[in-house]
Amino acid sequence: MTINRREMLTGAAALFGSVHLPFAMGALPREAGSAGLPDTNSPEKPRNLFSSIFTPEVLSKALISASSWRPYPKASEREAWQAVHKEVADKAVARAEKINGTAWEALPAAVFLEYKRTGNRSHFERYYFTRRTRLMDLVLGECVEGKGRFLDEIVNGVWLECEETFWGLPAHLSLQREHPSSGLPDVEEPIVDLFAAGTGAALSWIHYLLGDQLSQLNPMITRRIEFEIKRRILDPAFERDDFSWMFKEYKNEKHRLNNWTPWIDSNWLTANLLLEPDAERRKGAILKICRSVDQYLDDYSPDACCQEGPGYWNVSPGSYFDCGTLLTSATGGAGNPLTDPFVRKMFRYIADAHIDGPWFVDYGDAPPRMEESGEFVYRIGSAIDDSSLQAYGAFNASAAALRGEAVTDDQGHLGRVFPGLLVSAKAIASEKRDALVRDSWYPDLGLMTARLKEDSTDGFYLAMQAAPNQRPHGHNDSGSFIVFHDGNPILVDIGPEAYTAARYKFSVRSAYHNLPTVGGVMQSDKDPKYRASELHYSTNDSRASVAMNLATAYPEEAEIVRWTRTLTLDRMANHIHLNEDFQLRSKVAVQLSFMTPRVPTLGPAGKVLLTTADASARNVALSYSSALLVASIEKIDLTDDWLVSRWGRTIYRVLLTSSAPTDKGNWRIEFA
């Protein structure tokens, strides 16, 4: 279901008055100019950006001591917290009230062991993230209200997390050197994974925001936080170089870095800046983090596109933003890596990947539906002086407030959420504009997006990506495409199944993307070479088109000599054309798959009608040559929790199969 947020924003200005925060909120120096659409010539990617800005000499002169650093107002600084937007503040207090005094669940060892025994990790993660979200919501409620009502439960949550044997997840035990396959963590070897680092950062922020109040209750509380963070995060991250997320060289081999690097670095940096007691080690850790973040950027797509998809944008370039924000603040503005043109384009990607409402251009493990934090996007837009991104963040923040949603996070990322509370009033009072970009093109990933017209969801929307199948969080989907009409999904990438040790029953396979299957052979991911190639892209007011050779995404046994796929959005006719021009080495059955959440029915010869079950949107017809192709419909019953949450219990696959074995074709399919 598409959420029409523009209708919800009618009259928003009257509901939300103009409120201005009396402090800078760690505002970064701004670069003049405005962000434009991505083009073929991406800005040059900088090398060693962090390391060249935050040098040992700069840190020696400019780094603010932990005791003096004030990145945000503490809970005791009431003027700032009283300026949180009223509806947002009320919701934060209501969430804290709802859980105050209720029981905290245990983290059972037997449930932790399920990952080794059955491959299931979601059961333990429910206990784990519920605990962290509870603690975060109690802290937010206390910061906003400031009456001490939630302090005892905050102490309970802090103490429970400090008592946990392991701050990471079962799936990440492989980072342990001594017993990586034991099924239970070795308490003698703390490791720094995504969620250990996240826990350390959250507790560091609690120490910063509420440390005075907690110490008044009992000084052992803050001492325990300091002890556990040093033991579990600061020491192992500083002393070890063999965590795979740190650097490109791992176990004497080169490998590509992904979202783990900035995500963990930003949380490690938080704990280091706030709680590292040794000034020299604090500086040394920053230099190491800068080197790690620089290597992440060195591996980033040269066109500034997020290879892992929009679902990872907030923890990939988003976490890069956190690193830059923290260090710029901690050095008193001595340098700012976020104004670099390439980095600015990394942030702009999220607007280019937006379709409508909660829908984004998904590929690989990225989900098709999500709600980006409007306040977070607003903060990024403000920091880099991108008025379009800033307005998009304000649009989402206002829509969420109108829906009565709290500023929260389902994994308890306190450091990302509480700054959003503090800018909520300013964001909601700002100019609001949805991100409905007409065209975007990222040539290295081979990502194109095109809609009928700028700032509108009317008519057809087309997106395609031609990335290597062997990429971080990749599926076998190079050259696949998605189609929307009036903001509603027509042809989709269904996204990943739930994370388990034996995940992906079918969602990773190319036959369950909008791609050909040739003689029963699907795309391969056995080597980075498997990707669509020879891309040609063009756009103007009349049409947007992309052509590619799919042959290079398939293994030799497919016997493809050439396969030219051309996708065109005809803006004059409001149609989408797909042309498949191919030659094979032998005659085989060729099949085209089209994944749809709509109910497909066979119409007159050469047509498949795609309708919504409740007639809530206009029908779309898929047209083809009935002399060359035979249509059939496969109903797929979904049981995976993640897929059911997105699509319900059913998804459909429309199959167009060659009427006879063939070694060549020039097929034209139209959506109208």
Side-chain angles (χ1 to χ4, degrees):
M1 180 180 68
T2 299
I3 301 171
N4 192 329
R5 293 181 293 177
R6 282 180 300 284
E7 291 181 1
M8 299 182 70
L9 284 172
T10 303
L15 177 60
F16 298 131
S18 178
V19 181
H20 299 282
L21 295 177
F23 48 86
M25 278 304 304
L28 303 179
R30 292 181 171 182
E31 181 182 63
S34 60
L37 289 173
D39 54 31
T40 305
N41 298 311
S42 298
E44 184 177 353
K45 181 166 49 176
R47 293 185 61 84
N48 303 319
L49 182 60
F50 270 66
S51 298
S52 64
I53 293 173
F54 303 109
T55 62
E57 295 74 22
V58 167
L59 294 179
S60 295
K61 294 177 181 178
L63 183 61
I64 302 168
S65 67
S67 60
S68 300
W69 185 42
R70 291 290 181 270
Y72 299 99
K74 296 187 176 185
S76 57
E77 299 173 65
R78 298 309 306 154
E79 183 180 4
W81 289 98
Q82 287 166 356
V84 172
H85 191 275
K86 185 179 185 306
E87 280 79 3
V88 173
D90 289 347
K91 184 62 68 173
V93 173
R95 287 178 68 91
E97 286 177 330
K98 185 176 180 179
I99 57 179
N100 197 31
T102 60
W104 293 80
E105 289 188 297
L107 299 180
V111 181
F112 193 103
L113 271 170
E114 282 186 4
Y115 184 70
K116 179 176 176 62
R117 291 170 171 171
T118 69
N120 185 290
R121 57 187 276 183
S122 60
H123 294 161
F124 179 81
E125 288 176 13
R126 183 184 68 80
Y127 290 104
Y128 179 95
F129 290 125
T130 296
R131 176 177 288 186
R132 279 147 178 79
T133 302
R134 278 174 59 94
L135 179 56
M136 178 192 67
D137 286 338
L138 288 163
V139 169
L140 295 177
E142 182 57 40
C143 287
V144 168
E145 187 183 73
K147 296 180 179 178
R149 280 202 296 156
F150 308 117
L151 285 175
D152 277 356
E153 283 303 331
I154 290 171
V155 171
N156 287 337
V158 166
W159 208 256
L160 280 169
E161 289 192 9
C162 287
E163 287 183 334
E164 290 174 8
T165 299
F166 183 61
W167 279 353
L169 295 183
H172 301 162
L173 278 181
S174 58
L175 291 174
Q176 290 198 322
R177 291 178 294 201
E178 296 299 322
H179 305 286
S181 60
S182 64
L184 286 173
D186 181 354
V187 71
E188 296 182 17
E189 187 191 356
I191 61 169
V192 184
D193 77 334
L194 292 174
F195 300 104
T199 300
L203 290 174
S204 298
W205 283 123
I206 292 170
H207 187 287
Y208 172 82
L209 293 167
L210 292 166
D212 293 341
Q213 293 91 320
L214 296 176
S215 292
Q216 287 175 11
L217 286 176
N218 193 303
M220 286 306 218
I221 301 167
T222 51
R223 287 183 61 187
R224 180 70 186 276
I225 292 174
E226 294 161 8
F227 172 80
E228 295 295 345
I229 287 175
K230 177 175 170 55
R231 179 175 75 88
R232 298 175 190 248
I233 305 299
L234 299 179
D235 285 353
F238 183 78
E239 294 166 2
R240 290 179 60 172
D241 291 331
D242 60 343
F243 291 125
S244 59
W245 53 265
M246 274 185 169
F247 303 113
K248 291 197 290 185
E249 186 166 322
Y250 176 62
K251 294 184 177 179
N252 297 319
E253 292 183 0
K254 298 286 187 181
H255 73 125
R256 289 186 65 84
L257 301 177
N258 58 20
N259 72 84
W260 275 55
T261 302
W263 190 351
I264 295 175
D265 281 338
S266 65
N267 287 314
W268 171 23
L269 180 60
T270 297
N272 179 67
L273 287 172
L274 290 171
L275 292 181
E276 173 55 65
D278 185 307
E280 285 304 308
R281 270 200 18 159
R282 185 168 178 256
K283 184 170 70 172
I286 292 171
L287 294 173
K288 187 175 180 181
I289 290 167
C290 286
R291 184 160 60 97
S292 177
V293 172
D294 283 342
Q295 291 196 14
Y296 156 81
L297 190 64
D298 196 47
D299 269 353
Y300 205 78
S301 182
D303 57 8
C305 190
C306 186
Q307 279 199 345
E308 297 167 276
Y312 290 87
W313 173 86
N314 69 325
V315 292
S316 191
S319 292
Y320 188 91
F321 170 81
D322 292 335
C323 289
T325 302
L326 289 165
L327 278 177
T328 299
S329 172
T331 56
N336 179 13
L338 303 182
T339 58
D340 180 87
F342 182 86
V343 174
R344 287 164 56 90
K345 190 175 177 184
M346 288 165 57
F347 299 141
R348 176 70 194 176
Y349 158 86
I350 197 61
D352 293 330
H354 180 238
I355 303 170
D356 181 42
W359 298 103
F360 286 80
V361 178
D362 66 316
Y363 42 88
D365 274 351
R369 288 166 47 144
M370 61 184 195
E371 291 286 352
E372 278 298 342
S373 165
E375 288 82 3
F376 182 57
V377 175
Y378 174 84
R379 288 176 58 219
I380 293 178
S382 301
I384 66 171
D385 199 24
D386 184 327
S387 59
S388 296
L389 205 58
Q390 192 173 356
Y392 177 46
F395 182 90
N396 284 337
S398 300
L402 283 167
R403 293 195 299 267
E405 295 177 0
V407 180
T408 187
D409 177 87
D410 62 4
Q411 293 184 347
H413 296 145
L414 177 63
R416 182 64 66 76
V417 176
F418 83 82
L421 280 178
L422 289 166
V423 300
S424 59
K426 193 171 183 180
I428 289 169
S430 296
E431 177 191 356
K432 303 161 190 64
R433 187 170 61 258
D434 203 355
L436 301 173
V437 176
R438 194 188 78 165
D439 295 286
S440 70
W441 171 239
Y442 290 84
D444 191 75
L445 188 76
L447 173 67
M448 69 89 75
T449 72
R451 67 176 76 239
L452 198 64
K453 53 186 175 182
E454 185 86 5
D455 293 326
S456 173
T457 60
D458 293 345
F460 276 109
Y461 178 97
L462 171 67
M464 184 282 305
Q465 66 81 23
N469 289 334
Q470 193 185 83
R471 64 185 189 276
H473 290 282
H475 291 188
N476 292 346
D477 57 0
S478 190
S480 186
F481 66 100
I482 63 174
V483 172
F484 276 62
H485 188 263
D486 292 346
N488 298 295
I490 305 297
L491 302 183
V492 299
D493 184 319
I494 64 173
E497 297 162 74
Y499 284 177
T500 65
R503 60 185 172 141
Y504 304 145
K505 298 181 183 70
F506 68 93
S507 65
V508 71
R509 300 161 68 190
S510 65
Y512 295 90
H513 290 81
N514 302 315
L515 285 165
T517 300
V518 183
V521 179
M522 295 180 283
Q523 285 192 4
S524 176
D525 63 352
K526 302 303 182 186
D527 189 279
K529 71 180 182 181
Y530 290 112
R531 66 170 298 175
S533 59
E534 301 171 45
L535 272 66
H536 300 279
Y537 166 77
S538 65
T539 187
N540 54 41
D541 290 343
S542 300
R543 58 192 284 280
S545 184
V546 62
M548 72 214 76
N549 180 13
L550 291 183
T552 47
Y554 288 78
E556 285 297 317
E557 54 264 36
E559 295 191 290
I560 304 175
V561 177
R562 169 188 52 80
W563 192 298
T564 302
R565 162 171 279 194
T566 305
L567 284 158
T568 302
L569 169 62
D570 184 334
R571 292 192 166 107
M572 306 305 290
N574 189 22
H575 289 181
I576 287 177
H577 306 291
L578 167 65
N579 199 79
E580 309 280 24
D581 184 4
F582 62 91
Q583 182 178 348
L584 312 176
R585 292 188 179 88
S586 59
K587 291 186 176 183
V588 295
V590 177
Q591 192 171 70
L592 303 179
S593 296
F594 301 98
M595 304 297 296
T596 180
R598 292 206 166 189
V599 180
T601 55
L602 298 179
K607 287 192 182 295
V608 176
L609 197 62
L610 304 173
T611 64
T612 56
D614 59 0
S616 60
R618 285 189 282 178
N619 297 338
V620 170
L622 182 162
S623 302
Y624 60 95
S625 170
S626 57
L628 300 173
L629 296 163
V630 178
S632 60
I633 296 167
E634 178 185 358
K635 180 182 178 183
I636 301 172
D637 295 323
L638 300 178
T639 58
D640 178 84
D641 289 344
W642 284 15
L643 294 180
V644 170
S645 70
R646 299 180 194 119
W647 307 112
R649 295 286 175 185
T650 306
I651 198 85
Y652 294 90
R653 186 165 66 139
V654 176
L655 298 168
L656 297 183
T657 306
S658 57
S659 55
T662 184
D663 59 359
K664 61 184 176 181
N666 193 343
W667 300 341
R668 182 179 175 86
I669 293 102
E670 183 176 85
F671 300 89

